[in-house]
Amino acid sequence: KGAGHHDRQPPFLRHMIVRAACRAGLGLWLLLALACAADAPARSPAEIMDILMWNREPVGGPFELIDHTGHTRTERDFRGQLMLVYFGFTFCPDVCPTDLQAIGLTLDKLGKDGDSVQPLFVSVDPERDTPEHLAEYVPMFHPRLIGLTGSAEAIRKAADAYKVYYAKIPATQNASEYTVDHTAFIYLMDREGNYLGFFPPGTSAERMVEIIRPRLAEP
């Protein structure tokens, strides 16, 4: 069942959510500060964390994006597989590459079972992350990783569905340069696209395998 059908988060996820703030540097004070960033969405990171921690709303939903080969992809393309969904951007200096490496290593450790898990990297920087650029980037982490981009509106719709915070932040030295502040969680979805939970930034491949493998035995 999806997140909207649970009264509370599974214990292992509750524990990992609490640890997420420490690992990602997303203490409450920082979450509130990010909420004041330029171009902030209607919901602050603190509100999003509250939704995810206490399972207050459904997480996930329909999307229509462009993959790194230029083809239109929707969530329906991945029915029958577990999904690991990660929102980030290719110019991210450290957190995104680290988590994408962990996702790739997780698939390797799962062996043949990893064929039933589809990893998705959704860019929150469509201005720079074109399909052509993603095609150069995603193979560095795993051959089965699919990069997704699209219009700003399509990205925002997908991010809102997954309760992802992101905001474009201009560089102080050069107004033409910018970075993107964003929450960085790896969402685990079941074979029907329903939300199972998430892994916080810095979660090891071993820990993800420990959680994912029992799910693969479920119909």
Side-chain angles (χ1 to χ4, degrees), residues 39-85:
D39 299 326
R43 279 177 165 158
S44 72
E47 291 172 312
I48 288 172
M49 178 68 82
D50 183 67
I51 291 169
L52 294 174
M53 178 175 288
W54 300 107
N55 224 4
R56 297 190 188 281
E57 298 177 12
V59 176
F63 60 79
E64 184 172 323
L65 299 168
I66 307 299
D67 71 16
H68 64 271
T69 68
H71 294 93
T72 299
R73 306 300 292 265
T74 76
E75 79 290 344
R76 297 185 299 276
D77 295 332
F78 310 110
R79 291 293 181 263
Q81 297 175 294
L82 299 184
M83 291 194 299
L84 289 173
V85 185

Side-chain angles (χ1 to χ4, degrees), residues 67-149:
D67 71 16
H68 64 271
T69 68
H71 294 93
T72 299
R73 306 300 292 265
T74 76
E75 79 290 344
R76 297 185 299 276
D77 295 332
F78 310 110
R79 291 293 181 263
Q81 297 175 294
L82 299 184
M83 291 194 299
L84 289 173
V85 185
Y86 186 78
F87 288 76
F89 66 115
T90 64
F91 286 80
C92 182
D94 43 33
V95 175
C96 296
T98 299
D99 289 334
L100 290 174
Q101 287 176 347
I103 289 172
L105 186 56
T106 296
L107 295 179
D108 289 341
K109 288 181 175 295
L110 286 170
K112 284 293 293 181
D113 290 340
D115 293 342
S116 296
V117 181
Q118 179 58 61
L120 303 177
F121 172 60
V122 184
S123 173
V124 293
D125 185 14
E127 182 177 338
R128 293 181 294 194
D129 289 344
T130 62
E132 294 78 13
H133 184 64
L134 287 173
E136 298 177 354
Y137 185 79
V138 295
M140 294 190 293
F141 300 98
H142 199 274
R144 295 190 58 248
L145 178 63
I146 294 177
L148 296 172
T149 187

Side-chain angles (χ1 to χ4, degrees), residues 92-218:
C92 182
D94 43 33
V95 175
C96 296
T98 299
D99 289 334
L100 290 174
Q101 287 176 347
I103 289 172
L105 186 56
T106 296
L107 295 179
D108 289 341
K109 288 181 175 295
L110 286 170
K112 284 293 293 181
D113 290 340
D115 293 342
S116 296
V117 181
Q118 179 58 61
L120 303 177
F121 172 60
V122 184
S123 173
V124 293
D125 185 14
E127 182 177 338
R128 293 181 294 194
D129 289 344
T130 62
E132 294 78 13
H133 184 64
L134 287 173
E136 298 177 354
Y137 185 79
V138 295
M140 294 190 293
F141 300 98
H142 199 274
R144 295 190 58 248
L145 178 63
I146 294 177
L148 296 172
T149 187
S151 68
E153 293 76 16
I155 295 296
R156 176 61 68 188
K157 181 178 179 181
D160 288 348
Y162 279 84
K163 308 302 183 287
V164 173
Y165 166 89
Y166 70 98
K168 183 177 177 180
I169 308 297
T172 55
Q173 300 295 326
N174 187 340
S176 65
E177 298 179 357
Y178 64 90
T179 187
V180 182
D181 280 334
H182 64 96
T183 49
F185 302 117
I186 302 169
Y187 296 84
L188 178 61
M189 315 298 289
D190 72 13
R191 298 178 191 274
E192 297 300 318
N194 299 313
Y195 175 65
L196 294 173
F198 72 85
F199 300 100
T203 301
S204 69
E206 290 77 12
R207 179 58 174 160
M208 284 194 274
V209 169
E210 180 183 351
I211 299 303
I212 293 171
R213 194 178 290 281
R215 295 289 185 178
L216 290 170
E218 298 174 354

